[in-house]
Amino acid sequence: MQPLNRLKSPYSGTDDGSTCLKLATGAGDARHLRESDDADTIITTSTAKLRAFVLGAKAGEFDHLL
């Protein structure tokens, strides 16, 4: 398996990278997300589902969970 090229979120700040969200593209339409302080936990989804989640989060659809 080839290592994934991960992109760091620009919202993660400029610290040492210990608290950032990283995104990588996988085979086909796979998108892999992980948080740098828990690198062993990876969420895999599709582009469409990730887009729907991000749009929902921006719209406040999950605010009631906090």
Side-chain angles (χ1 to χ4, degrees):
M1 179 183 211
Q2 251 183 342
L4 297 173
N5 184 18
R6 298 188 183 279
L7 300 173
K8 178 181 170 185
S9 168
Y11 295 101
S12 296
T14 57
D15 63 358
D16 64 358
S18 62
T19 57
C20 61
L21 179 67
K22 295 185 177 181
L23 172 67
T25 57
D29 191 39
R31 302 296 178 257
H32 308 285
L33 290 107
R34 75 172 191 189
E35 194 171 347
S36 58
D37 62 350
D38 188 10
D40 292 333
T41 302
I42 299 171
I43 297 171
T44 301
T45 189
S46 68
T47 302
K49 289 179 182 179
L50 178 58
R51 182 179 294 117
F53 173 77
V54 170
L55 290 173
K58 285 182 174 183
E61 291 180 22
F62 309 108
D63 290 355
H64 68 282
L65 299 174
L66 302 175

